[in-house]
Amino acid sequence: MTSLSELREEVWRANLRLPSEGLVSLTWGNVSARSDDGSLVAIKPSGVPYADLGPDDVVVLDLEGRIVAGDLRPSIDTATHLELYRAFPGIGAVVHAHSTYGTAFSQARLPIDCLGTTHADHFAGPITVTRPLSPDEVGEGYEVHTGRVIVEHMLDTGRDPLHVPAVLVAGHAPFVWGTTPAAAVDNAVTLEVSAHMALVTRLLSGGNPPVLESWILATHHERKHGKNAYYGQGEG
Amino acid sequence: MTSLSELREEVWRANLRLPSEGLVSLTWGNVSARSDDGSLVAIKPSGVPYADLGPDDVVVLDLEGRIVAGDLRPSIDTATHLELYRAFPGIGAVVHAHSTYGTAFSQARLPIDCLGTTHADHFAGPITVTRPLSPDEVGEGYEVHTGRVIVEHMLDTGRDPLHVPAVLVAGHAPFVWGTTPAAAVDNAVTLEVSAHMALVTRLLSGGNPPVLESWILATHHERKHGKNAYYGQGEG
Amino acid sequence: MTSLSELREEVWRANLRLPSEGLVSLTWGNVSARSDDGSLVAIKPSGVPYADLGPDDVVVLDLEGRIVAGDLRPSIDTATHLELYRAFPGIGAVVHAHSTYGTAFSQARLPIDCLGTTHADHFAGPITVTRPLSPDEVGEGYEVHTGRVIVEHMLDTGRDPLHVPAVLVAGHAPFVWGTTPAAAVDNAVTLEVSAHMALVTRLLSGGNPPVLESWILATHHERKHGKNAYYGQGEG
Amino acid sequence: MTSLSELREEVWRANLRLPSEGLVSLTWGNVSARSDDGSLVAIKPSGVPYADLGPDDVVVLDLEGRIVAGDLRPSIDTATHLELYRAFPGIGAVVHAHSTYGTAFSQARLPIDCLGTTHADHFAGPITVTRPLSPDEVGEGYEVHTGRVIVEHMLDTGRDPLHVPAVLVAGHAPFVWGTTPAAAVDNAVTLEVSAHMALVTRLLSGGNPPVLESWILATHHERKHGKNAYYGQGEG
């Protein structure tokens, strides 16, 4: 059982990985995580440079967005995170980062197709793009509707959110999730590297790259995430 | 109220961020700032490696370019900076950096269009390109006319200089500004990353990328810079 | 004569170079080496971050995959490495890394052609791509068949494995080898940089880059690897 | 007057900048310098990692290649460097580095055109490509003929070697020079960044980028290198 102070420390560490893994410049990213009982969410404060963050700066809220602990304003994207936690009970952490290649696919409104086993290791299929928000949605609440358009997209495509734990918001950037903060950041790293590899593969293939064979995709993903996974040291 | 020695220290720190944020190689960039009362400008000395700079090396001049403090020659681009301060009373700092992607757009003489919210966060529209200087302008005073062609371009396009706080000088590189040295460097980082993202988006889109919806651009920019901005911790 | 503990230390150091040379993110790579008498193989444990590794975490196995020393599970790709050691008696170390540019060529299923002397320094010809594994092969044993498809490819193309010490597995990533762990990592670095250079050369040449003249390729390779090699300080 | 031990120290420091400025991987580059009286050349030893180098490892030779000081073998490219010193009396240092973008232009056998002021700052025109060496030249002496083909190219194009202090050897990589080791490395950095910018400019311009106006090129170059140069602090 993770205590609240352990949760804040875990979220703090995961936020520090955003710049150290090369996923963000300035303060263009944030990580949140849900408490074990599902009732609370810990998230980066808004606009604070990563180098100035400490575990106690992490803000804790309930799922309706009421602050439970922390003296700072939570991330401006908090309402988006909360929508995802409410809609997807299985996810334990959310990462939002304007990483260069993932963001470029969001801007081009093109899915990151599964072209190889690096992608397949974390995402069991293409990472797809939401529709853009309407003027009304933006007017009523930009951040909450960003969350709703992600949820709508996941439901429309009928996928388990942990099967492909990420989506590209049109004209914006990726949102990525996972069971833990560390796993969600690993997924965000994989999305960014896979996007970079997909760009290069497209350039080499005249814009028409071959997708990975379905049987290789399935096996490569299952050996790490399936019921009989045999990757790693079997912790957890 | 910022003292002269605080101003020099702030300018020194902002100059150090040019290499640490990956915006320059060698000594290809400089940051200046204006004193609170608007009468003085502090700027990097010419040709001194960033690692060798101290706050006391920062040169202070009046708006006519007469040296008020400092033993070194000011940046070779000082006359350009002074033109901008004279023409745009609202700006407090100027950054010039030959950052790779921003410079490539300047060389291609193509605007950096607003393709996503990363760009919209700092620039409320495309970052456009000046006309090239004429042989006469170059002969009469290359640096002062570089400043004048920027001012002419901003007046011709009828924009508030803080709405889109940057311009690309044709065949040269970006000039970026802001209310403070830190804000101006943040804008220079955003320009560079947005240019990189715009290149990749163009490559993914066959050269014809979709521009960001106007209502998303406006909202994303306003939440950080508008009257009712709600990003950050509300300092300043 | 290298002792077992020296072998583990050498393999540990070579694994640490994967992130420090920019060849991997997360834990996407592994290095192994063979003992002097050819009977044992030392390899990275599965899923352990490079920063957490020590020499004693390196797992030692015989060529049939039975663990001889080490408390952790060996790399998930161990069966692939063992296939290569069994088939190619001359190789002393194997590197597998999902490096960005090499992986993109694997995904595009395009060879990395020899376009210049950087490539020719380590690879005496193009680095070619295997066929994809069939559903049956994946079902029967993904890792062992990855090794077999590499061996099949090398035998089909009739080359000495040390002449071009690498292959691209279709839809997956490069496998690289050498006489020692350090030499194999040097080859993996060269493959990645050569792939990056080949991409740029293709972009500059409209997709049709000129290949290096055969007489320059031969001489450049021989001055480092030939019988009368005169590069370096003549150690070994 | 620089002593021999000062010359070796200067060459050692310049060689260390090759990896720290991102110009090389492994040991793919070397810097040499000429003594004040022009009779001796100090150069990196062959195949020694930069991190293992000390000033005393730098090898000193006369212009015919006879070793005067140093216990190690000189760089394998020494004969190329010596050809350049013999042919161009005005140059004081030579850099050879397989930097990624400069090498890609060498491989594509395309000049790096002067597309902007970053390039114009150090090179008063395009950086052009030699013809490839013939089989006979390679057979007779690969390194000495590499030097001769550079000299032939500079004489054929009729340029002062310090006006455009670099050339691209076809299928190989750039050779760069300058008056001092520090200036030559600065030129090598500028070549690499200009090549990167030129690639991006080409991609943005559909392969047909606009060249820099001749009057801007001349003025930008002269303000740093001309008789009335006014860049920097006027040292030297």
Side-chain angles (χ1 to χ4, degrees), chain C residues 80 83-84 88 129-134 137 142-156 167-170 172 175:
Chain C
T80 313
E83 282 299 312
L84 301 183
F88 308 136
V129 190
T130 68
R131 64 168 177 81
L133 274 70
S134 71
E137 288 169 329
Y142 174 54
E143 294 81 11
V144 70
H145 280 289
T146 298
R148 284 183 195 162
V149 92
I150 294 172
V151 172
E152 170 197 310
H153 179 81
M154 293 304 289
L155 296 178
D156 283 0
V167 83
L168 307 178
V169 176
H172 189 158
F175 279 83

Side-chain angles (χ1 to χ4, degrees), chain B residues 64-146:
Chain B
E64 280 68 48
R66 283 176 296 248
I67 293 179
V68 170
D71 297 327
L72 298 172
R73 280 194 214 167
S75 165
I76 199 166
D77 298 311
T78 298
T80 312
H81 289 241
L82 294 179
E83 282 299 312
L84 301 183
Y85 287 117
R86 280 195 293 258
F88 308 135
I91 71 176
V94 173
V95 175
H96 175 50
H98 289 225
S99 59
T100 299
Y101 295 97
T103 301
F105 274 85
S106 306
Q107 294 187 162
R109 295 148 201 237
L110 274 179
I112 308 171
D113 286 322
C114 183
L115 306 181
T117 61
T118 315
H119 181 119
D121 228 24
H122 290 248
F123 303 102
I127 302 166
T128 51
V129 189
T130 68
R131 64 167 175 81
L133 275 72
S134 71
D136 280 358
E137 289 169 328
V138 166
E140 278 169 27
Y142 174 55
E143 292 83 10
V144 70
H145 280 289
T146 297

Side-chain angles (χ1 to χ4, degrees), chain B residues 30-86:
Chain B
N30 40 70
V31 183
S32 69
R34 174 142 61 179
S35 62
D36 286 355
D37 71 357
S39 67
L40 298 175
V41 167
I43 193 164
K44 180 181 179 294
S46 182
V48 179
Y50 301 99
D52 298 347
L53 273 187
D56 293 345
D57 298 324
V58 171
V59 185
V60 184
L61 311 102
D62 65 21
L63 287 187
E64 280 68 48
R66 283 176 296 248
I67 293 179
V68 170
D71 297 327
L72 298 172
R73 280 194 214 167
S75 165
I76 199 166
D77 298 311
T78 298
T80 312
H81 289 241
L82 294 179
E83 282 299 312
L84 301 183
Y85 287 117
R86 280 195 293 258

Side-chain angles (χ1 to χ4, degrees), chain D residues 67-93:
Chain D
I67 293 180
V68 170
D71 297 326
L72 299 172
R73 279 194 215 167
S75 165
I76 199 166
D77 298 311
T78 298
T80 312
H81 289 241
L82 294 179
E83 282 299 312
L84 300 183
Y85 288 117
R86 280 196 291 257
F88 308 136
I91 71 176

Side-chain angles (χ1 to χ4, degrees), chain D residues 122-136:
Chain D
H122 289 246
F123 303 102
I127 302 166
T128 50
V129 190
T130 67
R131 64 167 176 80
L133 275 71
S134 71
D136 280 357

